[in-house]
Amino acid sequence: MTDMTENRGGETETPAARRSPLAKRGGDPGSRGRTTIADGVVEKIAGLAARDVDGVHAMGSGLSRTFGAVRDRVPGGQKSVTRGVKAEVGEVQAALDLEIVVDYGVSIADVARDVRENVITAVERMTGLEVVEVNIAVSDVKLPDEEEEEPERRIQ
C-alpha cells in the first residue's frame, strides 16, 4: 500500500508528489501551454493519407490538377500534397473536405469509405484532434485509355 497523506487543502498526495518540485509548480511540464495546429498541417496529413488508398487516382478537380501539373514542372516547384483537400481546424476538432478522382472499375463507395477511415486515423493519430467529418466529392473517373492531363511544354 502506498503511503498517502492529506495536505493542507484536503487533497491526498503521494510521497513522490510531496518531494517533486513539479507538483508544486503547476504539474506536468507537458501540460503547460497550448499547442495549435495550422489548417495546412492537417491538409498535408489528410492529402497523403487519401493518396495511400487503392483506387484513388488523383486529388482535386480537373482545373486544379492542370494548374498543379504546371506548377510541378517549374524548376524548384514541389508537388502539392494539399491539392483537393480543405481543412477547418479548431482547438480540439477538425473537419475535412476532399475532392478525389477514382480509377475506373473500383467501387466508389468502398474507396470513399477507405479514404475516410485512412484520413481520420492519420489525422487523429498525428494531431490528437477529433475528426468530426470527412466529406468526399468524387469529381472524375480515370478511364484506362485516358491520357494523363499534362499541359503542353512551352520550352523544349
Side-chain angles (χ1 to χ4, degrees), residues 33-54:
R34 215 171 65 166
T35 302
T36 57
I37 300 172
D39 293 1
V41 171
V42 174
E43 289 169 354
K44 282 183 179 183
I45 295 167
L48 290 170
R51 283 173 176 80
D52 280 346
V53 174
D54 288 335

Side-chain angles (χ1 to χ4, degrees), residues 50 53 56 98 100 111-120 136:
V53 174
V56 174
L98 305 176
I100 66 173
V111 170
R113 183 194 65 241
D114 293 347
V115 166
R116 210 171 262 113
E117 289 175 359
N118 212 34
V119 166
I120 290 170
I136 298 172

Side-chain angles (χ1 to χ4, degrees), residues 3-154:
D3 177 29
M4 301 183 78
T5 60
E6 272 190 30
N7 63 16
R8 282 182 251 169
E11 296 173 359
T12 305
E13 60 181 23
T14 63
R18 284 193 305 271
R19 289 189 304 269
S20 171
L22 295 178
K24 294 180 183 185
R25 289 191 192 142
D28 176 29
S31 66
R32 295 182 201 169
R34 215 171 65 166
T35 302
T36 57
I37 300 172
D39 293 1
V41 171
V42 174
E43 289 169 354
K44 282 183 179 183
I45 295 167
L48 290 170
R51 283 173 176 80
D52 280 346
V53 174
D54 288 335
V56 174
H57 178 75
M59 301 286 295
S61 66
L63 186 60
S64 71
R65 290 194 324 270
T66 300
F67 285 131
V70 171
R71 187 176 49 247
D72 294 345
R73 292 180 181 273
V74 173
Q78 299 177 349
K79 286 194 171 212
S80 175
V81 295
T82 61
R83 185 181 311 141
V85 182
K86 178 65 180 143
E88 292 181 32
V89 180
E91 288 187 26
V92 294
Q93 295 179 326
L96 294 138
D97 294 320
L98 305 176
E99 189 171 359
I100 66 173
V101 176
V102 297
D103 292 321
Y104 176 79
V106 300
S107 165
I108 293 174
D110 290 346
V111 170
R113 183 194 65 241
D114 293 347
V115 166
R116 210 171 262 113
E117 289 175 359
N118 212 34
V119 166
I120 290 170
T121 300
V123 170
E124 287 184 346
R125 180 180 54 81
M126 291 184 70
T127 66
L129 296 168
E130 175 192 7
V131 177
V132 293
E133 67 180 10
V134 176
N135 299 311
I136 298 172
V138 179
S139 62
D140 202 357
V141 174
K142 169 66 171 83
L143 300 175
D145 57 342
E146 269 184 335
E147 291 183 23
E148 291 294 320
E149 291 180 11
E150 292 186 23
E152 285 186 34
R153 294 184 74 162
R154 293 178 56 188

